[in-house]
Amino acid sequence: MTITVTPPAEEPALRAEPDPAAGTPRRRRRPHPARLPYLLLLPALLLELLVHLVPMLIGAVMSFKELTQFHIAHWTDAPWAGPDNYAVSVDFHAPVGAALLRSFATTCVFTLSSVALCWLLGTAAALFLQESFRGRGLLRTLFLVPYALPVYAAVITWAFMFQRDNGLVNHVLHDQLGIGATAPFWLIGDNGFWALLAVSVWRGWPFAFLIVMAGLQNVPRDLYEAAALDGAGTWRQIRHVTLPALRPVNQVLVLVLFLWTFNDFNTPFVLFGKAAPESADLISLHIYQSSFQTWNFGTGSAMSVLLLLFLLLVTGAYLLLTTRGRKPADA
């Protein structure tokens, strides 16, 4: 005969009665799972508010004030100028507006040239290093050196290289290769534009190379094999397989390069100092000179606000054009 022994049921754990003398114990409330992402983003939002948004709002307020060196110590007490600073900035028949328009045109030409060359060199280098060969890792490291160097160290080195009498550029081009009757001045006159463009491309193309190289990792190799079986050569594969697959990556890359280059202040300031030649008078440096050399901070702030509005307009139009016609799965 089998005897089944049923274990006694476990008694529920007794709850400890709160001691009136010790006070009621408080439980730590955990954040709701839906609120956790917002709590994690809160430190970054606070830093963004303090570093970017608050100075941006202060600059917008300063653009409506007659803020000069006489009121800089107590800028909140400066006289209210209204839209006069904006009227002076966009009056292209007056010296201030004409100089701003010329600087804006120079910046547009410089930015388009730099972005195009950076994208072209970065894409070519990424395609070249797609195939496996000996020394590929070393070349990848060397290509990223300009992007890893601090901007001041890199640009100061280029400033020494562009010196007329003892610079490396003239030593190679004029002394070694015999190009030109005399050694040119690279940091003054019309050559300043080309010197600035060379430094900007040298600093920017490794970033394009890094982004495109990362995007190429997501292109299936089956597409290249199918294209090769259909008789497509290297250039047709790049045109019909690689570039369409890299379209989302290139859209973001071109926008980031455009914004970085258009707002670049460090490169022309370190390369030329406070007084850049007219051919390399970028708008960021022009606004700096209008604010800190003439001590007219109200007009300089108005120019900065106009630049911000222009970049917002260009960014919105670019995103609208690039996302139009995209499939919902790609959006």
Side-chain angles (χ1 to χ4, degrees):
M1 181 177 64
T2 305
I3 300 176
T4 305
V5 179
T6 304
E10 296 183 358
E11 296 183 0
L14 297 178
R15 296 182 179 178
E17 293 294 335
D19 188 2
T24 304
R26 297 181 179 179
R27 295 182 179 180
R28 298 181 62 183
R29 298 181 61 183
R30 296 182 178 179
H32 194 273
R35 300 176 182 175
L36 183 59
Y38 299 99
L39 293 177
L40 296 177
L41 289 174
L42 185 59
L45 293 177
L46 291 177
L47 288 176
E48 182 72 18
L49 178 66
L50 294 176
V51 175
H52 290 97
L53 296 183
V54 172
M56 189 183 303
L57 293 177
I58 293 176
V61 174
M62 291 171 58
S63 66
F64 291 98
K65 287 181 171 291
E66 190 179 343
L67 186 58
T68 61
Q69 70 269 28
F70 303 106
H71 305 93
I72 192 62
H74 305 282
W75 68 273
T76 55
D77 299 332
W80 191 260
D84 292 345
N85 293 326
Y86 292 92
V88 171
S89 301
V90 299
D91 187 5
F92 302 134
H93 298 287
V96 176
L100 180 63
L101 180 61
R102 183 173 58 251
S103 176
F104 175 77
T106 301
T107 307
C108 290
V109 175
F110 168 78
T111 302
L112 294 178
S113 304
S114 179
V115 171
L117 291 175
C118 287
W119 179 85
L120 183 61
L121 293 176
T123 303
L127 293 174
F128 173 71
L129 295 181
Q130 244 342 74
E131 300 297 332
S132 179
F133 58 90
R134 177 179 292 183
R136 184 177 65 169
L138 178 61
L139 284 179
R140 285 180 175 179
T141 305
L142 292 178
F143 286 170
L144 293 176
V145 167
Y147 183 67
L149 285 177
V151 56
Y152 290 96
V155 178
I156 287 176
T157 303
W158 274 100
F160 281 111
M161 293 171 59
F162 279 125
Q163 294 297 320
R164 180 182 183 271
D165 297 327
N166 53 4
L168 180 62
V169 175
N170 280 340
H171 176 71
V172 173
L173 296 180
H174 181 262
D175 299 340
Q176 299 290 334
L177 300 179
I179 299 177
T182 58
F185 290 94
W186 290 103
L187 300 181
I188 60 176
D190 295 338
N191 290 330
F193 177 86
W194 303 110
L196 181 61
L197 181 61
V199 178
S200 177
V201 172
W202 182 82
R203 290 190 57 243
W205 80 267
F207 176 76
F209 161 71
L210 184 64
I211 299 301
V212 174
M213 185 174 60
L216 288 174
Q217 307 303 317
N218 297 325
V219 181
R221 300 298 302 177
D222 299 341
L223 297 179
Y224 293 103
E225 296 176 359
L229 291 177
D230 292 339
T234 302
W235 293 111
R236 294 189 62 184
Q237 291 180 18
I238 294 175
R239 179 181 177 183
H240 296 287
V241 177
T242 305
L243 293 181
L246 290 177
R247 182 182 177 185
V249 175
N250 284 328
Q251 288 175 354
V252 178
L253 173 62
V254 170
L255 179 60
V256 171
L257 287 175
F258 175 82
L259 295 176
W260 282 0
T261 308
F262 207 97
N263 284 320
D264 190 12
F265 172 80
N266 295 329
T267 302
F269 182 79
V270 177
L271 190 63
F272 301 111
K274 297 181 180 180
E278 185 176 325
S279 62
D281 184 25
L282 300 187
I283 195 168
S284 58
L285 192 59
H286 184 84
I287 293 175
Y288 168 81
Q289 294 172 348
S290 301
S291 300
F292 291 93
Q293 289 189 356
T294 63
W295 296 92
N296 197 340
F297 295 98
T299 305
S301 299
M303 293 178 182
S304 300
V305 174
L306 292 174
L307 175 61
L308 174 63
L309 295 177
F310 169 76
L311 292 179
L312 289 177
L313 179 62
V314 171
T315 302
Y318 177 83
L319 293 177
L320 182 63
L321 292 176
T322 54
T323 56
R324 180 179 297 178
R326 184 186 296 181
K327 297 179 181 180
D330 298 335

